[in-house]
Amino acid sequence: MVAPARNTEPPLIELCDIRRSYGGADGAPAVEVLRGLSLKIHAGEFVALVGASGSGKSTLMHILGCLDRPSSGRYLFAGRDIARFTADELAWLRRAAFGFVFQGYHLIRTIDALHNVEVPAVYAGITQAKRESRAELLLSRLGLGDRLAHRPHQLSGGQQQRVSIARALMNGGHIILADEPTGALDSRSGAEVMALLRELAQAGHTVILITHDRDVASQAQRIVEIRDGQIIADTPSDPSAEPQSRTQAANELLSARNFPALMARGVAHAATPVADMLEAVRAAWEVMWVNRFRTMLTLLGIVIGVASVIVMLAIGAGTQETVIAKLATFGVNRMYVIPGGDNERGPGGTLSEADVDIVASVPNVTVAMPFVQGKVTLRAGSVDTSAPLWAVTTDAPKVLSWKPSRGVFFTKEDERNLATVVLLGKRVSERLFGAKNPLGQYVLVNNVPFQVIGELEEKGATSGESDDDDVIMVPFSTGSRRVLGTTNLSWISVLVDNLDIVNETARLITTPLAQAHHIQDFKVYNRAASVKAQEDTQQTLTMMLGLIAAISLVVGGIGVMNIMLMTVKERTREIGIRMATGARERDILRQFLTEAILVSLVGGVAGVVIGLCLGAALIFWDVAIIFSVRAILGAFACALATGLIFGFMPARQAARLDPVVALASE
């Protein structure tokens, strides 16, 4: 081996006894590709690494470009051992010092030429305006000013290779690593690419050319021949040529004084988190748009899940409201204090108007109404009938949730004056007056004439044994004193405010009444508690509907994970390209995680819109629907969480790919 002469400055790259082996796991024999290779490359040199296929030159290029690590030996870059570099520091070195030109171009197929060139600058944290301006300038200098918006499949091989060169120069390209850059090109395009590489070398770039073609290698200043993983020759192609002086930017990057500070700033990354996120969203949207049919299928699971949760919960809430509204006609928030203790052989007990005041003073009691009931005989003209009489106060419409369908209810003045006025239930009115309007007519109640001032709403039977429409209502004072002749109450109707504390309210009613009676000769019938139990049951059923609907959301999330895993497999080479241009693990993780979340975000929005539309259609068809903002926001949040949770594993898998393996994938 003949060593090159004349360059006395410290080498830019120094390899000392580099070895690289593959395999050796699970009992398989290890294959040694590089065998104790040593090499020095100075800044500004144009070096060609020549060798037949399988000689190890591509493996050497991967090690030189920090895409791979040697099995043993030392790699010194600007005098620093890269074995001590972290993964982020190696990523910075790739984007700050190296520019790769591959035989297969390795352009990202989903983005246009301009954005392909921008990729290294994205990971360097350069602002969008600056990187677009520089990328456009580079492409224009390479004769592609009219191809900025063209995707790789719309460009010829030579044009794609020039895009690759522009990308290599985006962050400076102080060291150009060109792996068989003319191998896939015709002779004319190959000559153009080689001319570009010579120009770069003359401009002060360090160019390392990997080729099997000696005619191509002869255009370099120095030829290093490799065979079976070892250097067998290292000679200058032109003994009179001197390496070009490197650029000022290269001097700053490679100087011993500036290197640590530049690396620290580069690893810290210059872009803001917001800029990083916006760039990830833009890239994710482009991928979704290019693969829009597959994206729509992926969205479908999320859309169905979100829409189902919204509609199911809305139907459940509407049904619950309907049930409660029907129960309200029978007083869902009522309690009753009834004479008589729990012991059948004990005293019967009575309730008085004084007890009403005690009950009314209890917290959570909105109204306490005395109630006296008796059977009376009614006569109107020649028609006689009998019906229950309810002697109640003016609070009856509120306590009983029962109002006149026509006419008016009696007033407090009627109560004070023991007025002989009556409201007829629907069936009583029909028996006495038929279809005739009873308002203003007189009815004998136990031979006492009463004027009809109202007809009660038709309510229907509350149970199999009673019919609330077959009653009459009179003022409490009139009914108890002038008709029934007793002030002993049949019961006290209690209207409570908060159903959640009805049991506590019942206890608070019992205690002072028992103290006043000196015995518990009454019972508190807690109907509100049973209604509350019915309400809780309905809420449970609604929740079950929501959980059933949520299953489809989980299925949609599994679909997202499956599609993302397929996407990682399909885009493995793209991941390798991004890593070769300086992407860190967290950059890859953020990009693929953003894609999963964006799919879920779009699916969530579409699901909310479709869910609301379905709900509106159901309302049009008279289905009880009550939309809940909490349910809508919850379904949307679950969609995002689904994307985050189910997208994390594929994103992490993508971030942990080996750059060399990723680049070699098909």
Side-chain angles (χ1 to χ4, degrees), residues 198-216:
R198 286 196 303 271
E199 289 178 13
L200 293 174
Q202 291 169 3
H205 295 269
T206 303
V207 179
I208 302 175
L209 174 67
I210 290 86
T211 184
H212 68 279
D213 190 332
R214 291 188 175 275
D215 291 336
V216 171

Side-chain angles (χ1 to χ4, degrees), residues 43-46 134 138 141-142 165 169 172-176 194-207 221 242-251:
E45 280 193 296
F46 186 0
R134 177 166 174 76
L138 286 170
R141 284 174 55 190
L142 294 175
I165 292 172
L169 296 172
H174 309 301
I175 305 169
I176 303 295
M194 287 307 302
L196 287 172
L197 293 178
R198 286 196 303 271
E199 289 178 13
L200 293 174
Q202 291 169 3
H205 295 269
T206 303
V207 179
Q221 298 166 347
E242 288 282 349
Q244 299 294 322
S245 59
R246 60 196 185 199
T247 63
Q248 182 179 354
N251 283 328

Side-chain angles (χ1 to χ4, degrees), residues 106-125:
H106 284 359
L107 301 178
I108 300 173
R109 65 177 182 83
T110 56
I111 57 178
D112 57 31
L114 183 69
H115 288 97
N116 262 289
V117 174
E118 285 185 33
V119 170
V122 169
Y123 299 123

Side-chain angles (χ1 to χ4, degrees), residues 107-111 116 151-153 290-291 294 570-571:
L107 301 178
I108 300 173
R109 65 177 182 83
T110 56
I111 57 178
N116 262 289
R151 288 200 173 94
H153 70 276
V290 170
N291 302 295
R294 185 172 64 186
E570 289 177 357
R571 295 165 59 194

Side-chain angles (χ1 to χ4, degrees), residues 132-154:
E132 282 186 357
S133 175
R134 177 166 174 76
E136 187 172 350
L137 178 62
L138 286 170
L139 287 171
S140 297
R141 284 174 55 190
L142 294 175
L144 295 174
D146 58 344
R147 296 288 189 271
L148 303 181
H150 286 59
R151 288 200 173 94
H153 70 276
Q154 298 171 313

